[in-house]
Amino acid sequence: MKIRNYFSFFLFFTLPLLANESGSFLAGMAKKDITGPPVGVMFWGYAREDQTGMGIQTRQYARALVIEDKATQKPFAYVTAEVGGIPFEIQREVVSKLQKEVDPNFHLGNVLLNASHTHSGPAGHFHYSEISFYSTQFYGDSYVVLRDGIFEAIKEAYQKRKPAELKIGKTYVKDAGVNRSLSAYMANPESERNLYPDNIDKEMVQLNVFVGGKPIGFVNWYGVHPTNITFDNRLISSDNKGIASLLAEKEAFKNGDPSFVAIFAQANEGDVSPNLNLDNTGPGKDIYDSSFIIGKRQFLASQEILKSNGKTLKGGLQFAHTFIDMSKHPVRSEFSGTGKTEYTCPSAYGYAFAAGSTEEGGGHWLFHEGMTEKNRKFYIDWIAKFMLQSPSEELRECQKPKAVLFPMGETKPLPSLPQILPYGIVLVGDLSILVLPHEVTTMSSRRLKKEVQVVMKDKISEIVLSGLTNDFSGYITTPEEYSTQNYEGGHTLYGSQSLNALRQEFFRMSSDLVRGIEFSKSSVSNPMPLDLSDRIHPLKLPDSEIVSEKPKQVLKQNVGVYKKGDQVVCQVNAVSPNIGYPKVTSYLWLEKKVGTDWNRVKSDADFDTKFVFHKPGFFDKGIGKLDLIWESSDTDAEGEYRLVHEGIYLSSDLKKNPYRVECPSFRLQ
């Protein structure tokens, strides 16, 4: 009896300690390759038909964090995929698959698919493609790679989940962004601008995930465009956000953790450029160097947060989610700013959209930023009518002072852009994540966060904005910024009341969460986005069915000896990389000789390698040329190396066969 009493006494005092040790959450992280077709597909972002792929600088990944509330068994998945934007159709299909194969408690409100917004990834995965400036093609093969890669990343992270401690930290990122639309920002009230120390948000907020006392990864939010890699580039690249992830994961690998996952999520980057010179050039010697520098600055900030103690998140998971028809949403007088109910508008691109951002290289020569309704040109309106259709007078009036170029929301039988869009709030303990499918400007983000903070008060301690999440639908600017019709205002699709409509709805969702009203798997979403899956027409990837002999020739050999810091180049015969897509895991390998063995040390996923494919000529019988490039550095080890190309060719009997071409070995000293 005495022993039993001692044992009961021991359990009474130690069980709370054990419970505290294991924390409130389970968590797991994973990443999967989602690289698009390397050649021949228009890149998404700059809307330039002449910018099609020729190779790879870095591969694209989907990185996932899955959290489970131990008390309620609610799951939450957060993914950042290294693409320009993620259509709602992918979220819908991923959620459906998760419910069937992983956990029925996943739903549209607790699966967040964030796009890093790189402008150097292939397009072709949006259902709204019949009339699109980003790509009019839809490629089923690459759509499946993106969708299934995201799903597999979430599934693996879910399977890896273990008792975890979540810690939140923050710091300022130095010299990684600049406001590219300062004249629009300055249109906001001076009294409001004076509340903030800068015209961009330089703070990075990071959620660190610890299992067994060791970090397994993190997700952070910092808003900056991945546009160091400009529209002159023809190589797939994850740009500065991807570089930051690779650097963080490389650092963890050096410390003995090969499975570390570093998610550099996109936030309120709407008016933030990484090209610090504001003339489409960054701080580096070229676009790739600038991308590395801006990525490294984000990486260094993330390491500072990771090494600090941080604040442990307590509490569980809560979700608010809604769909809004942004083509005609009423904005009540207390939010509209006009003293009466106003409405958002069917989506429309403005003249200023076609102008592009001057600081990022600009757009069409017929247009310039700042063009409003007063600057309309009859010949431009006539060309736009010929290309699509003229806007109604009601739309012109609703969108003022925007000079409407293309009335995407008025096309028949269906709008040419989504009108019904997803929004939400996720609470992870006392961290609040605002979910939007837009590129949100600095001041717009501040107003939205303030709306939520006022309602939730002490319920939250940190608040972040997850832009470009669960769909893509242009920009959100303040009404004052909209009035200037810089590029961002011209690309604010639903009119000057867009931000006010979202302030109203985020106020409502916040109020619901405070009252305990939550979105769950049994919640009904109404209205729902259109399902266009029966209207798309998948195309074959360019140059994916070219018959040839087996490539085997080295065309231009590298030299025998290099110094650290030299560029190594070897050119070989190759067929179109699209023939082997997506089965080829790497088209380029750097191998190092160890004893009598050749070990793979780098691939086309590394930021210091590139390959460039040159299409075959008429008399080349389907065999082109491929440049293998390695930028060595002072940190690379001395030794004997070789560059290798691997691919798949289509033989005359229509069978796909692997091939390998080895360049001569060389010495790095």
Side-chain angles (χ1 to χ4, degrees), residues 390-407:
S390 294
S392 66
E393 288 305 314
E394 291 80 9
L395 182 62
R396 289 195 192 280
E397 185 66 28
C398 185
Q399 290 272 356
K400 281 184 176 179
K402 179 191 290 180
V404 175
L405 183 62
F406 295 116

Side-chain angles (χ1 to χ4, degrees), residues 21 84 102 142 162 329 376 421 459 539 662:
E21 179 67 25
V102 179
S142 53
K162 294 179 180 178
H329 196 67
R376 282 175 54 197
L421 298 167
K459 188 176 177 66
L539 301 172
E662 297 172 355

Side-chain angles (χ1 to χ4, degrees), residues 56 553-554 556-558 562 567-574 586-590 603-604 608-614 625-631 642-646 660-664 666:
I56 294 177
Q553 188 176 357
V554 176
K556 295 180 183 178
Q557 297 185 7
N558 48 265
Y562 292 90
Q567 183 187 75
V568 184
V569 181
C570 176
Q571 188 180 76
V572 301
N573 272 145
S586 178
Y587 299 92
L588 176 155
W589 296 101
L590 178 70
S603 72
D604 59 20
D608 50 2
T609 65
K610 302 183 188 75
F611 78 80
V612 183
F613 178 70
H614 306 279
K625 303 172 184 177
L626 190 127
D627 299 327
L628 303 168
I629 304 168
W630 176 40
E631 306 280 353
R642 69 183 179 192
L643 286 165
V644 176
H645 165 55
E646 290 186 347
R660 175 182 168 94
V661 184
E662 297 172 355
C663 293
F666 60 90

Side-chain angles (χ1 to χ4, degrees), residues 44-325:
W44 192 99
Y46 291 111
R48 293 185 57 140
E49 292 184 4
D50 60 335
Q51 191 192 17
T52 54
M54 289 181 62
I56 294 177
Q57 189 238 351
T58 57
R59 297 186 78 85
Q60 300 166 276
Y61 289 95
R63 294 175 171 88
L65 165 65
V66 169
I67 298 169
E68 182 180 325
D69 182 339
K70 289 174 67 175
T72 63
Q73 296 186 315
K74 295 177 188 173
F76 167 56
Y78 192 93
V79 177
T80 292
E82 291 171 338
V83 293
I86 299 174
F88 168 72
E89 287 79 7
I90 284 185
Q91 194 218 14
R92 181 183 62 210
E93 292 182 33
V94 166
V95 168
S96 176
K97 204 169 182 183
L98 287 170
Q99 290 173 336
K100 293 174 184 175
E101 299 181 29
V102 179
D103 188 330
N105 292 309
F106 280 115
H107 53 71
L108 294 174
N110 63 15
V111 177
L112 307 190
L113 308 184
N114 170 257
S116 75
H117 199 46
T118 177
H119 285 38
S120 294
H125 54 270
F126 276 79
H127 283 51
Y128 283 86
S129 58
E130 288 188 9
I131 304 170
S132 173
F133 297 97
Y134 291 104
S135 174
T136 56
Q137 286 83 39
F138 181 87
Y139 297 105
D141 290 346
S142 53
Y143 177 87
V144 168
V145 167
L146 176 57
R147 181 198 64 195
D148 291 356
I150 289 171
F151 167 77
E152 291 295 337
I154 296 173
K155 180 180 177 180
E156 183 177 318
Y158 182 90
Q159 292 170 340
K160 285 174 142 181
R161 69 199 192 287
K162 294 179 180 178
E165 187 176 22
L166 307 181
K167 291 189 174 184
I168 200 81
K170 53 187 178 180
T171 193
Y172 288 99
V173 186
K174 299 174 183 176
D175 301 322
V178 61
N179 195 308
R180 72 181 189 191
S181 193
L182 194 55
S183 60
Y185 180 86
M186 295 300 290
N188 293 307
E190 182 180 7
S191 58
E192 183 179 32
R193 288 186 276 114
N194 288 341
L195 297 174
Y196 304 99
D198 212 311
N199 54 36
I200 66 170
D201 286 337
K202 295 184 176 181
E203 191 172 71
M204 173 185 283
V205 178
Q206 183 163 295
L207 177 61
N208 297 320
V209 184
F210 292 85
V211 171
K214 296 180 180 180
I216 64 166
F218 57 71
V219 54
N220 61 52
W221 293 268
Y222 172 73
V224 63
H225 264 85
T227 50
N228 287 124
I229 311 290
T230 66
F231 49 65
D232 299 314
N233 170 62
R234 303 284 294 277
L235 304 181
I236 291 174
S237 174
S238 56
D239 212 309
N240 57 65
K241 290 281 183 184
I243 294 293
S245 290
L246 292 174
L247 287 171
E249 289 163 0
K250 184 178 179 181
E251 182 70 18
F253 183 84
K254 286 194 303 184
N255 295 329
D257 187 356
S259 60
F260 192 91
V261 178
I263 302 175
F264 285 78
Q266 194 52 269
N268 53 327
E269 94 315 340
D271 50 4
V272 185
S273 172
N275 293 312
L276 306 185
N277 300 324
L278 289 176
D279 60 359
N280 209 32
T281 64
K285 62 187 178 185
D286 59 30
I287 57 177
Y288 302 111
D289 188 40
S290 293
S291 172
F292 182 84
I293 291 170
I294 298 299
K296 186 175 181 180
R297 289 172 183 173
Q298 293 176 72
F299 156 70
L300 292 174
S302 75
Q303 294 300 294
E304 181 184 334
I305 301 171
L306 184 62
K307 293 171 183 175
S308 65
N309 286 328
K311 180 176 70 75
T312 300
L313 290 180
K314 299 186 184 299
L317 297 171
Q318 286 183 275
F319 311 103
H321 177 269
T322 189
F323 287 102
I324 301 173
D325 186 347

Side-chain angles (χ1 to χ4, degrees), residues 341-587:
T341 297
E342 303 285 358
Y343 290 86
T344 56
C345 320
S347 60
Y349 289 121
Y351 277 34
F353 161 78
S357 171
T358 305
E359 295 79 6
E360 302 275 31
H364 196 281
W365 59 270
L366 272 176
F367 303 90
H368 62 80
E369 290 189 276
M371 295 181 84
T372 66
E373 176 74 9
K374 297 176 182 178
N375 305 112
R376 282 175 54 197
K377 309 292 183 184
F378 75 90
Y379 53 87
I380 292 178
D381 287 350
W382 184 86
I383 293 171
K385 177 182 179 180
F386 177 76
M387 292 177 65
L388 186 62
Q389 68 180 53
S390 294
S392 66
E393 288 305 314
E394 291 80 9
L395 182 62
R396 289 195 192 280
E397 185 66 28
C398 185
Q399 290 272 356
K400 281 184 176 179
K402 179 191 290 180
V404 175
L405 183 62
F406 295 116
M408 308 301 282
E410 288 190 332
T411 57
K412 304 295 182 183
L414 295 173
S416 298
L417 286 176
Q419 308 297 299
I420 299 170
L421 298 167
Y423 300 92
I425 300 175
V426 173
L427 297 184
V428 184
D430 53 356
L431 167 68
S432 176
I433 305 171
L434 310 189
V435 185
L436 301 93
H438 305 288
E439 303 185 55
V440 184
T441 64
T442 299
M443 193 62 83
S444 296
S445 172
R446 288 167 175 168
R447 291 186 190 178
L448 283 169
K449 290 176 181 178
K450 186 175 181 181
E451 212 67 63
V452 173
Q453 191 77 60
V454 164
V455 176
M456 292 198 170
K457 299 184 174 66
D458 296 338
K459 188 176 177 66
I460 57 175
S461 61
E462 300 295 338
I463 184 167
V464 297
L465 185 145
S466 181
L468 295 133
T469 302
N470 293 342
D471 208 343
F472 173 76
S473 197
Y475 280 70
I476 293 294
T477 50
T478 68
E480 296 87 350
E481 292 165 350
Y482 184 87
S483 70
T484 69
Q485 281 299 291
N486 276 5
Y487 167 72
E488 295 81 9
H491 201 173
T492 295
L493 297 171
Y494 306 98
S496 63
Q497 286 292 326
S498 299
L499 174 61
N500 291 336
L502 298 185
R503 286 176 50 231
Q504 172 181 286
E505 295 311 310
F506 275 88
F507 180 91
R508 178 186 61 78
M509 286 189 286
S510 302
S511 302
D512 285 347
L513 285 175
V514 168
R515 296 198 304 270
I517 302 171
E518 188 179 354
F519 188 90
S520 68
K521 63 178 181 179
S522 59
S523 301
V524 177
S525 297
N526 188 39
M528 281 290 287
L530 297 175
D531 185 348
L532 302 184
S533 55
D534 61 342
R535 295 178 63 89
I536 55 172
H537 306 288
L539 301 172
K540 288 282 187 182
L541 293 175
D543 304 326
S544 61
E545 298 181 333
I546 298 176
V547 173
S548 73
E549 295 180 350
K550 181 178 182 179
K552 52 189 175 183
Q553 188 176 357
V554 176
L555 300 174
K556 295 180 183 178
Q557 297 185 7
N558 48 265
V559 300
V561 179
Y562 292 90
K563 293 181 180 179
K564 292 182 179 183
D566 286 348
Q567 183 187 75
V568 184
V569 181
C570 176
Q571 188 180 76
V572 301
N573 272 145
V575 297
S576 167
N578 287 359
I579 294 173
Y581 179 81
K583 291 185 177 180
V584 177
T585 57
S586 178
Y587 299 92

